[in-house]
Structure formats: structure tokens, C-alpha cells
């Protein structure tokens, strides 16, 4: 009813009296990175399909220049640093017992990212194992 509308709007438009500024920090602190039932894969490293793949469509990325990869299907462009960090994270997810070094990451990328590049940016602190 029109007579009740003003009262409803006053209730709905009140300022929130609760402070949620620390909520993000609390949720981040409680986030579980490694699940209880998450185990290492039984897949052998040599049996994996090597290469760099698109996150959106799963197609193999093509190296455009020394700093960029591009997907041929969805035309998404990704910087090489982002691709290299994603490869490292994928290797960690697949099996935590695999040794992560520049040579193994270079092999996992199918030779598209050189071990020198990975070593350089790990030493510089930009890429992290």
C-alpha cells in the first residue's frame, strides 16, 4: 500500500551498522589450500601431454613474440610470466613430490619456455616454485 511504502523504504535504506572491513582477512586466513583428500596423481611425468594451453578453451597457445602467447581459437593473449607461473602451479597440483626446477618446467611447457628464462625470473623473485 502507498501508506506503508514510506515506512518500508526507511527500513530498507538504513545504513549498515556493522563493520566488515576485517572480513576479507578472516576469510583468507581460514582458506584451505591443500584439501584433506587431495592426493598426488599416479600419472608419470613423461606420459603427460606437454605444452602451454589456453585456460578458456583448452587449445594449445602459440608463441607470438618473446613476451606473449596467443590462443588461435579464442584470441586470448597471455604474457609469458603468467603462463610460466601457471605451469608451476599446475605441476604442484599434479604431484607435490615432483622436483620443480627450470629444466622440468621447460620440459612440461613442451620447450616453449626456456629454462634460462625460468631461472632468470626465479632468481629475480618474480616466479615462485
Amino acid at each position: 500500500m502507498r501508506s506503508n511504502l514510506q515506512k518500508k523504504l526507511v527500513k530498507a535504506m538504513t545504513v549498515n551498522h556493522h563493520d566488515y572491513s576485517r572480513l576479507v582477512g578472516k576469510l583468507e586466513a581460514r582458506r584451505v589450500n591443500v584439501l584433506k583428500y587431495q592426493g598426488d596423481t599416479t600419472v608419470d611425468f613423461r606420459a603427460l601431454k606437454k605444452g602451454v594451453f589456453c585456460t578458456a578453451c583448452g587449445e594449445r597457445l602459440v608463441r607470438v613474440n618473446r613476451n606473449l602467447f596467443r590462443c588461435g581459437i579464442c584470441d586470448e593473449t597471455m604474457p609469458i610470466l603468467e603462463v610460466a607461473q601457471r605451469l608451476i602451479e599446475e605441476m604442484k597440483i599434479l604431484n607435490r613430490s615432483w622436483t620443480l626446477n627450470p629444466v622440468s618446467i621447460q620440459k612440461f611447457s613442451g620447450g616453449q619456455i626456456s629454462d634460462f628464462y625460468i631461472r632468470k625470473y626465479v632468481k629475480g623473485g618474480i616466479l615462485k616454485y
Side-chain angles (χ1 to χ4, degrees), residues 18-32:
H18 302 289
D19 181 25
Y20 294 108
S21 62
R22 297 180 304 212
L23 179 65
V24 173
K26 286 183 181 180
L27 290 175
E28 285 293 326
R30 294 184 67 188
R31 182 173 57 157
V32 179

Side-chain angles (χ1 to χ4, degrees), residues 62-70 77-84 112-113 117 120-121:
V62 177
R63 187 133 182 207
V64 177
N65 57 31
R66 60 183 282 207
N67 295 321
L68 291 175
F69 281 95
R70 177 171 286 136
T77 304
M78 298 178 73
I80 192 169
L81 283 173
E82 183 180 323
V83 171
Q112 291 187 348
I113 302 175
Y117 185 88
K120 175 183 167 184
Y121 285 106

Side-chain angles (χ1 to χ4, degrees), residues 39-43 90-99:
D40 294 337
T41 60
T42 58
V43 176
E90 286 175 359
M91 286 181 73
K92 283 183 190 177
I93 289 170
L94 285 172
N95 198 329
R96 287 172 281 164
S97 65
W98 287 344
T99 57

